[in-house]
Amino acid sequence: MGQQEKVSTSLAGAVSEGISASLAAVDAELDRRYPGDPGTRQPVHTVYVPGNAFEAGTIRSWGDQALAALDEHAPDAASFAAVLGLSDDLAEDVYGRVRAKLEREPIEDLRVDFEDGYAGQDEDQDAARAARLISEAYENGTAAPYMGIRMKCMEFAVRDRGIRTTDVFLTGLLENGGLPDGLVLTLPKVTYPEQVSAFVRLLEAFEKAHGLDAGRLGFEIQIETSQSILATDGTAAVARMIGAAEGRATGLHYGTFDYSACLGVSAAYQASDHPAADHAKAIMQVAAAGTGVRVSDGSTNVLPVGSTEHVHEAWRLHYGLTRRALARAYYQGWDMHPGHIPTRYAAVFAFYREGFEAAAKRLSAYANHAGGDVMDEPATAKALSSYLLRGIDCGALDTAEVDALTGMTRADLDRFAAPRRGDLTVTTDR
């Protein structure tokens, strides 16, 4: 080892201490506002079922209908691949995984809808029934990983009804065994941050009434109005809404059709790839980055029903929109019909299968300080591990194959995906 260089400094230690003291409030604010991704599983989609139509067998029914659509319109891997343009090396694997997923876990996130999709006559009874059925589903193992309701919004005309339905539903869950870990609430048509604050007050009151831990109840904010993106003073209202949620916001869901109509987009052009949609979601994405709040894309209203020709056209559209969203880091979307979920899973599985080997090798090279044809930064290593974890969670990838290519356990991947602030140089235990 060569002679070490003499190291000299010019500033007293008090300078560094003074700077740190001056930034203490900023450090605390960064930790509070930007805690990073929670590291929990994110569902690849959300399915909305009207509160008056939700039944104990709804999830299994959607899976069976999706399998029947495959049997009728794409009975084997080759025909499915031909419709979607899947490569030969992916066709069998993706098709097999799609069918297995539809049999095992057809829906990852289900919202019983008491807003636009609701057409019942007795909302109290339907909300109480939803609570009972969801509790029973979690008890007997037939629940989706995430389940909950979308209540009516905080606007004057429906506010009281939305508050009451939320109360009836949450009270029903407590009466039927407690709040499940996968509980999700969705607040629609938010226009002002004050409406988010009002919903926070509602949840606080419920927690206090039942002796629940403060902050136990979180919720998603549905972005369906122009005012939720750009406020009258020119600021990004959605960023203020995240702040108004006081740490309870878990997601931002883009509402394709309400938002498009709000901007005057004619019905024929209301789609998740419209420039207006891209603009809104880009602002949502930037506002949510680092906050732990996840962004979900919207849906398509072109249903895969009717003739095989029409079903194939609808499948190609849905597959393309889903792949487009994934490339733009929108890892979740809405599905409106059982016929959508085969192409949802096909798009998701193909996305992760195609990039699996390259991502695994890059992450392994980074973790082991090995060279390669790409020089990755710590933040990229975080993105690579998150990519692999999402693939595992949805069923696109198997833990064993990821372990074999990366040399990492699930715990290793978790540490890379959610490092502590200031520590993005995680090394593996191996």
Side-chain angles (χ1 to χ4, degrees):
M1 185 175 179
Q3 184 178 0
Q4 291 187 331
E5 293 287 341
K6 179 183 177 182
V7 177
S8 301
T9 63
S10 302
L11 302 175
V15 174
S16 177
E17 293 171 4
I19 290 173
S20 291
S22 72
L23 290 174
V26 170
D27 293 338
E29 185 78 347
L30 282 170
D31 286 337
R32 184 178 73 85
R33 289 189 179 274
Y34 301 101
D37 190 86
T40 54
R41 175 180 179 180
Q42 181 179 10
V44 303
H45 69 167
T46 301
V47 163
Y48 283 79
V49 177
N52 54 294
F54 178 61
E55 301 289 350
T58 291
I59 293 175
R60 186 62 265 153
S61 173
W62 274 59
D64 291 342
Q65 290 179 69
L67 286 166
L70 283 178
D71 290 340
E72 181 176 358
H73 303 292
D76 52 46
S79 57
F80 197 49
V83 174
L84 304 181
L86 292 171
S87 61
D88 291 342
D89 60 325
L90 282 177
E92 290 287 347
D93 190 13
V94 168
Y95 189 75
R97 287 177 184 271
V98 168
R99 292 196 70 99
K101 180 77 169 179
L102 296 176
E103 292 167 356
R104 181 186 74 254
E105 188 181 73
I107 294 176
E108 291 197 356
D109 184 26
L110 185 145
R111 208 71 70 250
V112 182
D113 191 16
F114 290 96
E115 203 229 356
D116 285 349
Y118 181 67
Q121 300 301 312
D122 192 333
E123 191 161 333
D124 277 0
Q125 286 297 310
D126 287 336
R129 185 169 57 89
R132 176 178 56 81
L133 292 176
I134 288 175
S135 295
E136 291 173 356
Y138 277 107
E139 179 67 25
N140 63 31
T142 61
Y146 298 94
M147 299 183 74
I149 65 167
R150 177 172 69 169
M151 68 292 296
K152 290 177 174 62
C153 69
M154 287 287 107
E155 293 180 355
F156 175 75
V158 294
R159 183 184 305 145
D160 287 346
R161 182 65 259 180
I163 290 172
R164 182 174 175 84
T165 294
T166 303
D167 186 7
V168 169
F169 175 71
L170 293 176
T171 301
L173 289 178
L174 291 179
E175 291 176 345
N176 285 278
L179 304 179
D181 290 339
L183 174 64
V184 186
L185 305 174
T186 303
L187 179 65
K189 292 184 175 59
V190 179
T191 305
Y192 281 82
E194 289 80 2
Q195 294 168 330
V196 174
S197 296
F199 197 65
V200 169
R201 301 288 86 78
L202 170 63
L203 299 182
E204 286 177 339
F206 189 88
E207 290 166 349
K208 184 176 180 180
H210 291 278
L212 301 173
D213 291 340
R216 169 63 180 86
L217 295 166
F219 61 97
E220 302 165 332
I221 302 169
Q222 204 160 356
I223 304 300
E224 302 176 89
T225 67
S226 61
Q227 297 93 335
S228 61
I229 294 296
L230 192 68
T232 54
D233 61 0
T235 60
V238 65
R240 293 170 55 204
M241 290 174 183
I242 292 173
E246 300 179 21
R248 294 176 184 267
T250 59
L252 300 175
H253 281 230
Y254 175 68
T256 304
F257 307 106
D258 281 295
Y259 187 86
S260 298
C262 182
L263 268 62
V265 178
S266 61
Y269 297 97
Q270 293 178 1
S272 61
D273 59 351
H274 190 280
D278 285 340
H279 172 260
K281 287 180 287 188
I283 293 177
M284 291 163 58
Q285 189 174 49
V286 173
T291 65
V293 178
R294 290 158 166 172
V295 175
S296 174
D297 197 6
S299 58
T300 174
N301 58 0
V302 179
L303 304 184
V305 296
S307 69
T308 293
E309 180 181 8
H310 179 77
V311 169
H312 286 181
E313 289 177 357
W315 274 353
R316 279 190 288 269
L317 173 65
H318 186 244
Y319 179 87
L321 290 173
T322 303
R323 286 300 305 261
R324 183 180 189 271
L326 289 167
R328 286 158 173 76
Y330 307 130
Y331 299 113
Q332 185 176 351
W334 298 5
D335 288 327
M336 299 180 70
H337 188 273
H340 281 143
I341 48 181
T343 39
R344 168 69 61 183
Y345 290 131
V348 170
F349 293 168
F351 175 75
Y352 289 110
R353 298 302 305 177
E354 287 173 357
F356 161 52
E357 289 192 14
K361 290 176 181 177
R362 282 177 66 179
L363 183 59
S364 178
Y366 177 87
N368 294 291
H369 309 289
D373 58 359
V374 179
M375 182 177 292
D376 285 319
E377 297 288 336
T380 303
K382 177 180 177 179
L384 290 167
S385 57
S386 295
Y387 172 89
L388 296 173
L389 287 168
R390 289 191 189 96
I392 291 171
D393 286 341
C394 71
L397 306 176
D398 301 322
T399 302
E401 63 179 345
V402 174
D403 191 324
L405 273 188
T406 62
M408 298 181 191
T409 64
R410 171 75 190 231
D412 294 329
L413 294 174
D414 284 334
R415 285 197 295 275
F416 270 102
R420 293 166 296 160
R421 182 178 299 282
D423 180 14
L424 287 174
T425 56
V426 184
T427 56
T428 68
D429 293 334
R430 299 190 176 187

